[in-house]
Amino acid sequence: MLFSACLASAEGMRPVHARRAMVATVHELASQTGADTMRAGGNAVDAAVAAGFALAVVHPAAGNLGGGGFLLLRLANGEVHFLDFREKAPAKASAGMYLDAKGNVIPQASQIGYRAVAVPGSVAGLVEAQRRWGKLALKQVMEPAIRLARDGFALRYADAHALRDELLAQFAESKRIFQRNGNYYEQGEIFRQPELARTLERIAQDPDDFYHGALARELAAAIQQGGGLISTDDLANYKVVERRAVRGTYRGYQVISAPPPSSGGVALLETLNILEGYDLHALGSRSAKSIHLTVESFRRAFFDRAEFMSDPDFTPVPVAQLIDKQFAARWRESIDPVRATPSDSLKRPKFEALDQLASTRAPMAVREGGNTTHLSVVDPQGNAVAMTTTLNDSFGSRVTVPGLGFLLNDEMDDFTVKPGVANLYGLIQSAANAIAPNKRPLSSMTPAIVLKDERLFLVLGSPGGATIISTVANIIMGVIDFGLDIQQAVNAPRFHQQWVPDELRLEKFGFSPDTLPLLSNGGYELKQTGYWGDAECIAVDPRTGDRLGASDGRNGGRAIGF
Ligand code: DON
């Protein structure tokens, strides 16, 4: 017993080494699916799509057919592609749709039930990525997911307990499938999903069916019967968008990440640009001084996120200005070397390109929700995928489409539901992120790739709503500034600040008791909580080319390579 426990913990302490290929996901079966796909001759995209569909089966809280996400691909030849398959608001959606006659937010209206659902993009995104860059047939890539759904798999302790979610019980089909009508699944029991297997088979047979065929009609009919807004036209009109990834540098490394409608890449680069002016290495990982400077950088990047970020197809987002190193230098001048800047006293420094825009937009409060999943893949040729997908909240809207066996997202909650009201993640955003027909809600998802001397170095990402941005930043800094290996960087205790609320969130374990009073004395309101995030990362050893997988022990994930 003791011996195996030691082995298990040792595994989470060191990166998993492999010579050629690596997959890191939250679930061993999904990682194994990705690795097997590459052994069968597939590339990183085949593996990511195979693992993505497998996660829809083995990780129903976040893996999905009924949600959306972002896929960042860097091919071995250096080409970069970014697919936006974020959900979008149905054509009948409107700015005040979650408010009552008095203009108050209707509790949970944008989070639970059919009206919270935005038009799903995951199936379109995975299928398009596979068609454009995959080497194998879609059927072959989806086969493991179909088998896992049809034949079932043994539930892990955490998965069995997650299925006990009380809100799932509100919807008869969810209660039947995930909770056996109240006779809850236990650890080790085999969980079979025949309806989901059938839906996956139909997609494998004809991927167009989901948006244009019988599957689309069944999906729209079920949603409308439940009181939702999504129509067959909404499904038929859904389009995956290829966008230009955002790029920047950090201490000579190139950082590539998600553009709007995610705030992730821009906020990540803005944070790193501010931090570049400090010798963090000399200050040391998790010292009060390095935490202070990092938090002040997060505070400023989130302040700008709140004001400027939204779907760029509706409102232009000043990306180039926000990730300009000169702008970061101005922000840096506003950081007191030892004391916290209260969020309500924060003022954006003069920066011509932003000043005009800033005067026209007032930041407003919104909310965000609890489940998402990230996977990273590197294949033998050196192609790399970082993909983050989400249902938003854990199990999304909690609605399972009757007869089709999959859960629907509650991504409508990522919009600004009402100015001045915080979202599920306590996030503040501007009117630019108000609900409008066919618009994509602002996201924080931050799939990222880092290059060293133009060569692949890191592939990373995490769930966690707003904390995704600070988690990804802290891991990059862990490796580049503090010389940690990728697993140590993932394991390092996390901290987070997002401008509003004006508090410094820290994980409960891992910070020195000597450090915390130094931070309190510096003006921070500390809030220690349990763990968050689930970083699924890969590093490529610059000397040997070895693939080093680092899955986040916090959530029981697994990196598998060969
Ligand atoms: O797109 C977003 O930013 C959110 N829907 C992500 C939600 C999330 O990461 C929850 N995870 N724990």
Side-chain angles (χ1 to χ4, degrees):
M1 249 331 258
L2 193 61
F3 183 56
S4 69
C6 291
L7 270 186
S9 72
E11 189 181 317
M13 296 299 286
R14 299 261 158 74
V16 175
H17 277 249
R19 287 290 301 145
R20 305 175 62 216
M22 183 67 64
V23 186
T25 82
V26 66
H27 203 293
E28 180 173 3
L29 292 170
S31 299
Q32 191 65 56
T33 296
D36 290 347
T37 302
M38 289 191 282
R39 279 189 194 276
N43 62 18
V45 173
D46 293 305
V49 172
F53 278 116
L55 284 169
V57 178
V58 300
H59 189 46
N64 67 78
L65 304 183
F70 301 121
L71 183 148
L72 176 62
L73 164 68
R74 181 177 184 271
L75 295 169
N77 67 8
E79 248 177 64
V80 171
H81 296 275
F82 181 86
L83 280 194
D84 165 359
F85 52 97
R86 180 77 165 158
E87 303 92 322
K88 53 177 225 178
K92 288 214 177 99
S94 57
M97 66 184 278
Y98 300 114
L99 306 181
D100 64 17
K102 290 194 178 131
N104 296 321
V105 175
I106 304 167
Q108 297 193 327
S110 60
Q111 295 159 17
I112 310 292
Y114 287 90
R115 279 177 68 82
V117 184
V119 184
S122 287
V123 172
L126 293 176
V127 167
E128 179 159 333
Q130 219 279 320
R131 181 179 57 74
R132 288 180 63 182
W133 300 294
K135 281 166 65 183
L136 306 178
L138 182 65
K139 272 191 189 162
Q140 183 178 355
V141 164
M142 291 186 68
E143 192 277 331
I146 295 169
R147 190 165 22 86
L148 284 166
R150 189 187 54 223
D151 301 347
F153 62 97
L155 287 167
R156 303 176 303 186
Y157 174 82
D159 298 333
H161 279 260
L163 292 178
R164 298 180 183 191
D165 179 276
E166 281 177 17
L167 293 168
L168 272 177
Q170 288 185 17
F171 298 93
E173 187 75 339
S174 301
K175 186 174 177 187
R176 180 180 72 77
I177 292 179
F178 299 107
Q179 302 185 333
R180 226 168 22 195
N181 284 322
N183 175 20
Y184 293 132
Y185 283 98
E186 297 290 344
Q187 172 183 16
E189 276 198 87
I190 303 297
F191 180 45
R192 294 186 183 82
Q193 300 169 82
E195 293 88 355
L196 178 58
R198 181 71 199 120
T199 299
L200 288 164
E201 274 170 354
R202 291 170 73 182
I203 295 168
Q205 195 75 36
D206 174 13
D208 224 27
D209 201 31
F210 193 93
Y211 292 93
H212 296 100
L215 202 41
R217 289 191 291 277
E218 289 163 42
L219 177 55
I223 292 175
Q224 288 183 11
Q225 200 165 357
L229 300 182
I230 294 173
S231 67
T232 49
D233 278 352
D234 285 320
L235 291 165
N237 293 334
Y238 185 82
K239 294 249 173 334
V240 176
V241 183
E242 174 156 14
R243 301 190 191 272
R244 189 189 289 267
V246 293
R247 283 172 181 263
T249 58
Y250 183 58
R251 302 193 200 279
Y253 292 78
Q254 277 197 51
V255 180
I256 309 170
S257 189
S262 182
S263 60
V266 173
L268 172 67
L269 288 173
E270 198 179 330
T271 300
L272 294 176
N273 283 342
I274 298 172
L275 285 168
E276 212 171 29
Y278 301 107
D279 186 356
L280 291 180
H281 177 77
L283 297 176
S285 173
R286 286 15 178 211
S287 67
K289 277 195 173 155
S290 75
I291 293 172
H292 161 64
L293 296 173
T294 309
V295 164
E296 291 309 313
S297 307
F298 289 152
R299 190 194 307 274
R300 284 153 178 82
F302 273 94
F303 178 83
D304 287 329
R305 178 200 191 278
E307 184 146 344
F308 292 114
M309 301 277 183
S310 65
D311 182 346
D313 296 342
F314 283 70
T315 316
V317 180
V319 172
Q321 293 87 338
L322 291 170
I323 64 173
D324 190 320
K325 298 230 187 239
Q326 294 302 320
F327 179 51
R330 304 259 173 92
W331 261 136
R332 211 180 296 124
E333 287 162 14
S334 74
I335 296 178
D336 184 295
V338 289
R339 288 204 65 80
T341 311
S343 285
D344 57 12
S345 73
L346 202 59
K347 286 206 178 58
R348 176 175 303 99
K350 282 242 156 283
F351 194 64
E352 223 170 73
L354 288 174
D355 291 346
Q356 276 184 339
L357 280 171
S359 58
T360 63
R361 301 186 197 174
M364 296 166 181
V366 273
R367 321 159 328 94
E368 268 191 55
N371 227 319
T372 299
T373 192
H374 178 85
L375 62 83
S376 294
V377 185
V378 177
D379 72 14
Q381 287 69 42
N383 303 302
V385 172
M387 179 170 86
T388 316
T389 65
T390 184
L391 287 170
N392 194 27
D393 209 350
S394 213
F395 303 104
S397 62
R398 306 323 199 265
V399 172
T400 305
V401 191
L404 300 182
F406 64 90
L407 285 151
L408 292 167
N409 70 81
D410 64 331
E411 218 67 54
M412 292 299 285
D413 194 59
D414 271 350
F415 281 116
T416 307
V417 169
K418 183 186 176 183
V421 179
N423 83 355
L424 206 61
Y425 302 92
L427 272 174
I428 303 265
Q429 302 168 94
S430 85
N433 187 37
I435 302 172
N438 302 314
K439 184 170 170 180
R440 284 154 146 88
L442 181 61
S443 173
S444 299
M445 293 188 285
T446 315
I449 288 179
V450 179
L451 311 180
K452 183 177 171 40
D453 304 326
E454 299 293 326
R455 290 164 66 198
L456 185 65
F457 182 48
L458 304 176
V459 186
L460 70 164
S462 174
T467 67
I468 294 172
I469 296 164
S470 51
T471 296
V472 170
N474 270 328
I475 293 170
I476 292 176
M477 290 154 58
V479 173
I480 295 179
D481 289 306
F482 302 122
L484 304 180
D485 71 37
I486 186 70
Q487 188 71 59
Q488 291 167 331
V490 166
N491 294 354
R494 293 191 176 137
F495 56 94
H496 174 76
Q497 213 286 341
Q498 59 183 44
W499 175 49
V500 175
D502 191 351
E503 62 190 22
L504 166 52
R505 265 177 73 186
L506 304 120
E507 282 186 328
K508 216 172 250 163
F509 302 103
F511 290 94
S512 159
D514 299 337
T515 306
L516 302 181
L518 293 173
L519 289 165
S520 303
N521 293 339
Y524 289 103
E525 183 168 332
L526 306 186
K527 187 174 172 195
Q528 282 194 280
T529 63
Y531 73 85
W532 64 84
D534 167 29
E536 299 295 332
C537 312
I538 301 172
V540 176
D541 186 322
R543 287 172 302 117
T544 62
D546 281 0
R547 285 45 168 140
L548 312 177
S551 186
D552 201 329
R554 293 170 179 81
N555 225 11
R558 183 91 192 265
I560 298 181
F562 60 87

